[in-house]
Amino acid sequence: MNRRALAGAAVLAFTGCATVKHVQTAPDWKTVDALRVKRLVVVTAPMPAGDEAIGKMWSRIARRHANQRRDFIAKEEKALPALESPTSLCGEGLEGVLWLRPWMEKRGSGVEAKVDASLVRCVDGQVSWRAEAAGSWPSEDADLAETVKGLVSDFGEGVAPWAAPSFRLLKATLDTLPNPVLDEKDVDEKIELGD
């Protein structure tokens, strides 16, 4: 195999992978934020590809990930065309905003996507965590067939080509979120949330 063919094969091998390009956690996370930023609202703004259904799908994927794979108590999910101040979404019982700022575009039989994600404290609007990630994925993903089916059922057929790439990108990004520290009362609340 010549070098050009080998380089092309290497590029294809990396297609379908998310690259987390940057992660930053507040220096006082373990001593301050881990103890007080547990209850979240998840918001996607602006909406990916300008589509509200895709925005809602992103927020659902992220809320479930925060609840199931991280120790957060993500109570609400929203999708907005724009958001100037994440703390405007803070309300009673919320301590943080998980804000997803996406970009997505169809490419052939797949999707190229990027996200700038941040966890903002409600108390003062400071960023506790931030990550940037990007990648390209095929729209058809046998490993995520059931997940895509559920998302299409919830948000309509229009999300189908975007669902698997969105899931892959958000999973890679949100896996870098630090975990908060839950006490017994928090654990009971998380179980009650049932997500």
Side-chain angles (χ1 to χ4, degrees), residues 111-126:
V111 171
E112 184 176 334
K114 299 176 190 174
V115 66
D116 183 359
S118 54
L119 178 60
V120 179
R121 299 187 302 221
C122 285
V123 69
D124 60 6
Q126 294 299 307

Side-chain angles (χ1 to χ4, degrees), residues 9-25:
V11 168
L12 288 175
F14 288 106
T15 302
C17 296
T19 302
V20 178
K21 301 187 180 307
H22 174 78
V23 177
Q24 182 178 350
T25 304

Side-chain angles (χ1 to χ4, degrees), residues 112-185:
E112 184 176 334
K114 299 176 190 174
V115 66
D116 183 359
S118 54
L119 178 60
V120 179
R121 299 187 302 221
C122 285
V123 69
D124 60 6
Q126 294 299 307
V127 175
S128 297
W129 164 88
R130 184 169 179 256
E132 295 174 20
S136 298
W137 298 265
S139 290
E140 297 291 324
D141 188 329
D143 293 337
L144 294 176
E146 286 302 310
T147 301
V148 170
K149 186 177 174 183
L151 293 168
V152 167
S153 174
D154 289 347
F155 301 104
E157 194 61 42
V159 304
W162 308 94
S166 297
F167 185 90
R168 294 285 184 198
L169 176 61
L170 289 169
K171 180 188 182 315
T173 306
L174 298 175
D175 279 349
T176 69
L177 261 172
N179 275 312
V181 176
L182 302 183
D183 61 25
E184 234 176 271
K185 183 182 168 194

Side-chain angles (χ1 to χ4, degrees), residues 37 39-41 43 76 78 83 85-98 120-126:
V37 182
R39 291 160 187 83
L40 309 178
V41 57
V43 62
E76 299 177 30
K78 299 178 182 292
L83 180 63
S85 169
T87 56
S88 67
L89 300 176
C90 294
E92 188 175 335
L94 295 173
E95 300 154 344
V97 178
L98 179 56
V120 179
R121 299 187 302 221
C122 285
V123 69
D124 60 6
Q126 294 299 307

Side-chain angles (χ1 to χ4, degrees), residues 51-61 64 77 149-160:
D51 188 308
E52 184 177 12
I54 299 170
K56 288 179 177 181
M57 177 185 70
W58 266 54
S59 291
R60 174 78 47 87
I61 292 168
R64 286 182 175 163
E77 60 192 54
K149 186 177 174 183
L151 293 168
V152 167
S153 174
D154 289 347
F155 301 104
E157 194 61 42
V159 304

